[in-house]
Amino acid sequence: MRALLIDDEPLARRELRRLLSAHSWIQIVGEAADIDEAQAGIEAQSPALIFLDIQMPGGTGFELLDRLDRPPRVIFTTAYDQYAVKAFEVNALDYLLKPVEPERLVMALEKIRRGIATTEQADTPLEQLFVRDGPRCWFVPLREVSVFSAEGNYVRLEWGRARPLLGRSLTVLESKLDSRRFFRANRQQILNLEHIQDVELGSGGRLHVRLLDGREIEISRRQAREFRARMEV
């Protein structure tokens, strides 16, 4: 698994690199000392996993994740314990306090291995969802949903005239959707490709998509490249 180390302290990066050398299935593809360098490294290397410090020059690890349309798996490594709750709110795999203990690192890496095994054994993509929003319940056929939009740790479904709220994160939902039908347009939204009416070029390499229900979705510059390749736009 390709991994990137993000920490402003060279000694911390060196120690983490030493600890990870005992795990041959982790391939370190780069390091970064601030969030600008980290964003560039993620976009260039496409790591599946990042080890991320929180307090760094130029911004926090949380601000880095906010910049990314599709963040990699995240293990936080930090000297501060007060950010643990927020870390898990952004779906971090684990939260390791410095100095990182080898035993805790092993536990964090085992979570990744279990997740990979679960993914490999997963059934076919979801075709429908059971959604309970307040007193109402729905069985939602996913082919009829035009857009999924993140609202914190929840997802709003655009399904005809109904807009139920699903109690899981957009990242978790994305992993269960059929990638041939659904596309991550930006950090906040996944759209149904079968509901696209037309596409227009926007500024800065972005794309503007109009759906059959009239909604307009912006595809970010980074995702626009993948969209063009897939749809031959």
Side-chain angles (χ1 to χ4, degrees):
M1 175 175 284
R2 295 164 59 83
L4 189 74
L5 312 184
I6 306 169
D7 196 308
D8 63 311
E9 300 176 2
L11 289 178
R13 297 198 304 271
R14 188 181 308 164
E15 175 63 9
L16 187 55
R17 182 181 282 271
R18 184 188 71 80
L19 292 174
L20 289 170
S21 66
H23 305 275
S24 59
W25 60 283
I26 298 291
Q27 176 192 3
I28 299 174
V29 296
E31 299 182 5
D34 57 55
I35 65 173
D36 290 333
E37 189 177 0
Q39 183 177 3
I42 291 170
E43 292 177 351
Q45 298 292 340
S46 299
L49 171 66
I50 57 176
F51 291 86
L52 180 60
D53 193 9
I54 293 178
Q55 295 289 357
M56 292 180 290
T60 68
F62 298 117
E63 290 171 324
L64 169 65
L65 297 178
D66 284 341
R67 293 184 182 185
L68 304 175
D69 293 318
R70 189 176 294 172
R73 296 179 176 91
V74 180
I75 294 176
F76 280 102
T77 57
T78 178
Y80 306 96
D81 60 4
Q82 65 264 38
Y83 301 105
V85 172
K86 186 174 181 180
F88 290 109
E89 286 177 352
V90 296
N91 300 306
L93 292 172
D94 214 327
Y95 189 93
L96 306 181
L97 289 175
K98 299 177 186 176
V100 176
E101 298 178 355
E103 296 80 6
R104 281 290 290 117
L105 179 61
V106 169
M107 291 173 61
L109 295 178
E110 279 303 309
K111 290 182 183 180
I112 297 174
R113 282 195 152 171
R114 288 197 300 269
I116 292 172
T118 299
T119 300
E120 290 175 348
Q121 296 170 7
D123 296 329
T124 56
L126 287 176
E127 292 295 329
Q128 68 175 14
L129 278 174
F130 175 75
V131 181
R132 180 173 183 175
D133 188 359
R136 301 190 62 186
C137 300
W138 295 268
F139 281 99
V140 181
L142 294 184
R143 67 181 180 277
E144 298 178 7
V145 178
S146 61
V147 182
F148 300 93
S149 300
E151 294 188 12
N153 261 1
Y154 296 85
V155 175
R156 182 73 65 183
L157 281 63
E158 300 293 340
W159 176 45
R161 295 183 180 180
R163 300 181 69 249
L165 194 64
L166 179 65
R168 67 183 68 175
S169 72
L170 194 66
T171 300
V172 170
L173 177 63
E174 182 183 18
S175 68
K176 300 179 182 299
L177 295 175
D178 187 345
S179 60
R180 296 167 298 181
R181 176 180 290 166
F182 297 97
F183 181 79
R184 184 69 170 259
N186 52 59
R187 186 171 59 86
Q188 295 292 107
Q189 294 172 306
I190 296 172
L191 60 85
N192 188 332
L193 297 174
E194 297 176 359
H195 286 240
I196 293 176
Q197 179 169 301
D198 55 55
V199 181
E200 294 182 358
L201 295 176
S203 61
R206 296 174 176 82
L207 297 173
H208 292 284
V209 174
R210 183 165 57 191
L211 303 180
L212 296 173
D213 59 10
R215 288 179 57 85
E216 294 186 0
I217 303 296
E218 182 178 87
I219 298 180
S220 69
R221 180 175 59 185
R222 184 182 181 191
Q223 292 300 98
R225 294 194 293 268
E226 183 178 340
F227 183 83
R228 289 191 184 95
R230 182 184 299 192
M231 307 298 290
E232 298 183 353
V233 173

